[in-house]
Amino acid sequence: MRTLILMRHASAEGFSPDGDKGRHLTPQGRREAAEVGTQLAGKGVQLALVSAATRARQTWECLGIAAPAEFMEALYNCGTETLAQRIGEVPDEVQVLLVVAHSPGVPSLSAELAYASSPQEADDLQCWFPTAAYSEFSLEGSWSDLADDESLRLAGVQRIGY
């Protein structure tokens, strides 16, 4: 059984002279990420796929998880298809995968994956997925089976709100 954790980056500043991609975490965002890192510490994350945006990279750093990370340009403000494609490329030796990216991609993919087992939870995810929130899924098949909703089950959702 594999575990997929989809996380939205922590709270970031509203503006950066370096543009949207260069926005940094706020002090609150750093606290949010550290709190989530404490929650995820026992999950056994083996690999992280992280958006190349500054706020996502800083979220990863603040999580404090001792696992390798791949920083990906493709995860910056991408849609559900790109997220699913990148997850589907992960080797099956990885049992626990964390993805740190953005809205609307992370909430939308979370909702799509949750729909098969919990339509109400899927609606909730689509409507409210704040910064530093994450959803966790159990996958019975291969990462490449991600498009097959039947092989996924919603394990739970953590929502961090400040």
Side-chain angles (χ1 to χ4, degrees):
M1 178 98 47
R2 290 175 177 69
T3 301
L4 172 63
I5 302 167
L6 297 173
M7 180 180 179
R8 184 176 174 200
H9 64 79
S11 295
E13 60 192 4
F15 170 80
S16 171
D18 298 323
D20 182 68
K21 192 172 176 186
R23 291 171 40 213
H24 292 261
L25 292 185
T26 62
Q28 176 178 321
R30 291 183 176 280
R31 288 190 300 273
E32 291 170 357
E35 182 176 327
V36 171
T38 300
Q39 294 173 19
L40 297 179
K43 302 274 185 191
V45 173
Q46 295 172 294
L47 177 65
L49 303 181
V50 182
S51 163
T54 300
R55 60 192 178 275
R57 293 175 71 101
Q58 289 178 335
T59 297
W60 167 248
E61 292 166 9
C62 291
L63 289 172
I65 295 172
E70 293 181 27
F71 301 100
M72 302 180 141
E73 293 289 336
L75 297 184
Y76 172 65
N77 284 340
C78 67
T80 57
E81 289 180 20
T82 300
L83 279 170
Q85 177 185 8
R86 294 299 183 234
I87 293 166
E89 295 169 355
V90 170
D92 282 335
E93 300 83 60
V94 174
Q95 296 296 306
V96 182
L97 175 66
L98 170 65
V99 178
V100 180
H102 308 271
S103 178
V106 167
S108 294
L109 182 58
S110 294
E112 285 180 22
L113 298 177
Y115 189 80
S117 60
S118 176
Q120 180 59 50
E121 188 66 39
D123 287 344
D124 292 346
L125 286 168
Q126 190 66 47
C127 293
W128 193 73
F129 205 105
T131 54
Y134 66 91
S135 56
E136 182 178 333
F137 300 88
S138 296
L139 173 64
E140 294 177 347
S142 172
W143 293 116
S144 61
D145 296 335
L146 187 66
D148 180 14
D149 291 343
E150 300 302 316
S151 67
L152 288 168
R153 291 195 324 250
L154 181 66
V157 177
Q158 296 291 323
R159 295 188 180 119
I160 307 302
Y162 293 89

